[in-house]
Amino acid sequence: MKRGLVLEGGAMRGMFTCGIMDVMMEAGIQPDGIIGVSAGAAFGCNYKSGQVGRGIRYNLRFAKDRRYAGLWSLITTGDYYNAKFTFHEVPTKYDVFDAEAFRASPIEFYLVCTDVMTGEAVYHRCDDAGDEMLEWIRASSSLPLVARIVDIGGRKLLDGGIADSVPLQFFQSQGYERNVVVLTRPDGYMKSPSSIMPLVKVFLRKYPRFVEAVARRHEMYNAQLRYVEQEEAASRAFVFRPDPPLEIGHVCSDRDVLQRTYEQGRRQATERLSALINFMHQ
């Protein structure tokens, strides 16, 4: 039986995910596979490379660095999170991603993007850790309107959360029968229709199927949350949800808030560690 780790996105809400993953890594919990969406992919790759603390570390370091993220980057490059600095220079120069450990790890690592031409999810397995993987992570993390479309192999890609926000069903289809699911929204959360639809219709009008996917996203997401609850009740999923709700938003440059969000994830994982270990070893 294969055991998986399913990581929702949420941009800087992913600091909660980092806290949970670090406790899991410190406890020696080794899933057979990981699938991440957006921030879940950007931070989840550190699990396969075994780099405890890396996600929170570089975000604290560059939180107020305009080369990393912010309006200056959006205006000058077209990306709120600077494509070159954030996704290529940080992992190769400033807080080096352990590509060798990533390649050597037996953990399978998948991420999710959305094809803007079809509006459908693209699932990609990353076995190597070179520039192409970094571009796949950038694509998975590229939010509509605040990031440019990423072209990989002729595919035009954006944020994976548009087409598949919580890819539990996909992972089950790949043979992962028992899964830890990390959500970044609290219990009882329901997504509403997107408030940015008027802008999406204008700026992404060349991609009508993608526009349709954005318009339907709340329906897809809420159905996925109901499915996660169903699998949790059947003891096929072990689910982390922030309790209380996270104080952090999609973007944040406040180091104290980043640290508190990370510590909230650590606390929750520590409190439930025995139950988690039992679930993984049943």
Side-chain angles (χ1 to χ4, degrees):
M1 179 182 293
K2 293 203 294 184
R3 294 164 174 81
L5 176 59
V6 180
L7 306 173
E8 183 186 9
M12 287 299 101
R13 294 199 305 272
M15 291 297 97
F16 173 77
T17 304
C18 287
I20 290 171
M21 290 194 303
D22 283 353
V23 170
M24 290 176 66
M25 283 192 280
E26 290 164 358
I29 297 173
Q30 185 90 343
D32 299 298
I34 300 168
I35 186 165
V37 183
S38 192
F43 303 140
C45 60
N46 296 311
Y47 205 122
K48 180 171 165 63
S49 64
Q51 291 178 276
V52 176
R54 182 173 178 270
I56 182 65
R57 185 174 61 238
Y58 72 76
N59 276 285
L60 290 177
R61 178 178 177 183
F62 296 109
K64 296 184 181 297
D65 192 321
R66 70 177 190 172
R67 295 173 299 171
Y68 184 67
L71 291 177
W72 183 84
S73 175
L74 179 62
I75 293 168
T76 58
T77 71
D79 296 295
Y80 188 90
Y81 287 93
N82 186 290
K84 181 180 179 183
F85 185 81
T86 302
F87 293 98
H88 289 277
E89 292 187 10
V90 169
T92 59
K93 296 179 181 179
Y94 297 103
D95 198 317
V96 177
F97 181 72
D98 193 338
E100 184 175 342
F102 182 92
R103 285 189 292 267
S105 170
I107 298 173
E108 297 179 346
F109 181 73
Y110 293 78
L111 53 75
V112 187
C113 300
T114 300
D115 188 317
V116 300
M117 301 299 295
T118 66
E120 297 179 353
V122 175
Y123 304 97
H124 179 72
R125 176 173 163 176
C126 300
D127 296 314
D128 201 358
D131 284 341
E132 183 174 303
M133 186 194 81
L134 297 176
E135 281 294 279
W136 275 103
I137 290 175
R138 178 166 81 91
S140 182
S141 307
S142 292
L143 300 173
L145 304 182
V146 294
R148 293 169 295 165
I149 293 170
V150 181
D151 192 318
I152 303 178
R155 276 182 163 155
K156 296 181 182 297
L157 306 169
L158 280 174
D159 174 28
I162 299 299
D164 193 348
S165 297
V166 188
L168 174 58
Q169 287 174 284
F170 169 78
F171 229 30
Q172 290 174 329
S173 76
Q174 302 304 299
Y176 289 89
E177 299 177 53
R178 299 181 69 77
N179 292 279
V180 177
V181 181
V182 182
L183 303 177
T184 58
R185 293 294 194 179
D187 191 22
Y189 175 82
M190 295 290 286
K191 186 175 286 295
S192 301
S194 176
S195 61
I196 64 169
M197 277 308 303
L199 293 175
V200 170
K201 289 178 179 178
V202 172
F203 290 100
L204 292 165
R205 60 187 178 277
K206 293 192 296 184
Y207 310 104
R209 293 184 180 177
F210 182 80
V211 173
E212 291 172 9
V214 176
R216 296 192 309 268
R217 187 190 179 191
H218 66 289
E219 298 172 355
M220 173 272 295
Y221 183 78
N222 293 334
Q224 288 187 326
L225 292 185
R226 290 192 293 271
Y227 183 76
V228 168
E229 291 175 357
Q230 170 188 314
E231 294 302 284
E232 183 181 26
S235 299
R236 290 187 291 264
F238 188 100
V239 185
F240 285 104
R241 302 175 182 86
D243 181 21
L246 301 177
E247 64 175 306
I248 200 169
H250 267 82
V251 298
C252 179
S253 60
D254 187 320
R255 293 187 177 95
D256 290 337
V257 174
L258 291 167
Q259 185 69 47
R260 285 198 299 270
T261 305
Y262 170 78
E263 294 298 337
Q264 185 173 338
R266 286 196 63 95
R267 282 195 304 273
Q268 189 165 328
T270 301
E271 290 167 0
R272 301 182 66 196
L273 186 58
S274 294
L276 174 60
I277 291 172
N278 288 337
F279 173 83
M280 294 295 283
H281 289 93
Q282 283 176 0

